[in-house]
Amino acid sequence: NFTTDESTPEYEQVAVDPEMLGKVLENLLATLDADTGKSAQEAKGAYYTPREIVSYMCKESVRQYLYTSIEKFVVNKEDKTIYNKGIDRLLDESDAQYEIAHTNAIRNLWSADKAKTISQEILKYLDNLKVLDPACGSGAFPIGMLQTLLKIYERLEPRFDQYKTKLAILKNNIYGVDIEPMAAEISRLRAWLSLVVKKNKNKDVEPLP
């Protein structure tokens, strides 16, 4: 059993954290090269980035992207401050805080007359977002970005379907390359695991597109 959500340390007890794949990759690359005396890990800089750092990088990347994208709505400096504060709350509020607001959650992010328009625009921006990790390793950053985007879609999209949204993000928004072919394969395995953990157990598990 793999944990159903690798973005939080509070995972199921009898479950394997997909983050372990990063450690596996590090160990596989730790073998010394007989010619140079260096490990492949050292030569290629294959060191796993801790989850907390990945989460911060993903959140700040999306934050700056939305700050820039939303500027077309800005009429004055005060508007920009209001919009940016709403984006901050969207990204930073805990699930518990967001759940308390319930049906008023989106309205609380921005003024009631603009909340629906702004939230729909943000969803469009995210649909068109392209994220590239030029050294994806075991997929920590791409999967961290998947989790970050998924949280926003869940909060803003009334007809949210986790499986379909994950699949759409993996197909259209997230890209990764790596000098080490094995790393790319581990990244793809991790992407696949993120899909199948939510798949109905009675249905056949499909490969990645």
Side-chain angles (χ1 to χ4, degrees):
N1 290 330
F2 280 86
T3 177
T4 57
D5 184 1
E6 66 168 294
S7 66
T8 172
E10 300 171 4
Y11 51 83
E12 295 175 9
Q13 283 188 337
V14 190
V16 180
D17 186 348
E19 190 175 43
M20 73 156 193
L21 295 174
K23 303 298 183 185
V24 170
L25 177 63
E26 278 191 325
N27 289 328
L28 288 172
L29 295 177
T31 308
L32 288 177
D33 186 308
D35 296 325
T36 64
K38 285 187 176 182
S39 68
Q41 181 184 28
E42 183 181 350
K44 297 177 181 179
Y47 294 94
Y48 189 73
T49 308
R51 180 180 298 172
E52 294 78 9
I53 303 300
V54 171
S55 176
Y56 174 80
M57 290 165 60
C58 294
K59 193 183 291 186
E60 292 309 308
S61 297
V62 173
R63 192 191 312 275
Q64 295 305 320
Y65 172 71
L66 292 180
Y67 279 176
T68 304
S69 300
I70 213 73
E71 282 185 352
K72 74 174 189 178
F73 284 93
V74 173
V75 176
N76 52 52
K77 191 174 181 180
E78 185 178 338
D79 275 352
K80 184 174 183 178
T81 302
I82 292 172
Y83 295 146
N84 287 356
K85 282 184 177 179
I87 291 168
D88 290 341
R89 287 197 296 272
L90 176 65
L91 287 165
D92 298 332
E93 279 190 358
S94 68
D95 291 337
Q97 289 174 307
Y98 208 80
E99 189 60 34
I100 288 171
H102 199 49
T103 54
N104 291 322
I106 296 177
R107 195 186 318 175
N108 291 345
L109 296 174
W110 301 280
S111 57
D113 59 324
K114 296 177 181 177
K116 185 175 180 180
T117 303
I118 296 298
S119 62
Q120 291 304 309
E121 285 297 316
I122 284 179
L123 288 173
K124 288 180 186 176
Y125 299 144
L126 295 184
D127 286 344
N128 295 319
L129 174 65
K130 304 294 181 188
V131 179
L132 170 68
D133 186 343
C136 65
S138 62
F141 181 79
I143 298 303
M145 185 60 74
L146 169 67
Q147 298 290 349
T148 301
L149 296 177
L150 203 64
K151 182 170 79 170
I152 299 174
Y153 276 107
E154 184 173 12
R155 292 181 173 186
L156 297 183
E157 177 55 70
R159 295 176 297 278
F160 175 76
D161 181 301
Q162 188 174 76
Y163 180 80
K164 289 181 179 178
T165 306
K166 274 187 177 182
L167 186 60
I169 292 171
L170 290 172
K171 285 172 68 175
N172 304 318
N173 305 114
I174 295 175
Y175 299 83
V177 295
D178 200 279
I179 195 172
E180 180 59 60
M182 177 170 53
E185 291 304 314
I186 290 179
S187 290
R188 298 208 300 177
L189 170 60
R190 199 160 172 178
W192 182 75
L193 287 172
S194 74
L195 277 174
V196 299
V197 290
K198 289 296 183 184
K199 191 75 170 171
N200 188 320
K201 291 182 180 179
N202 295 324
K203 293 183 179 179
D204 292 335
V205 176
E206 300 171 359
L208 286 173

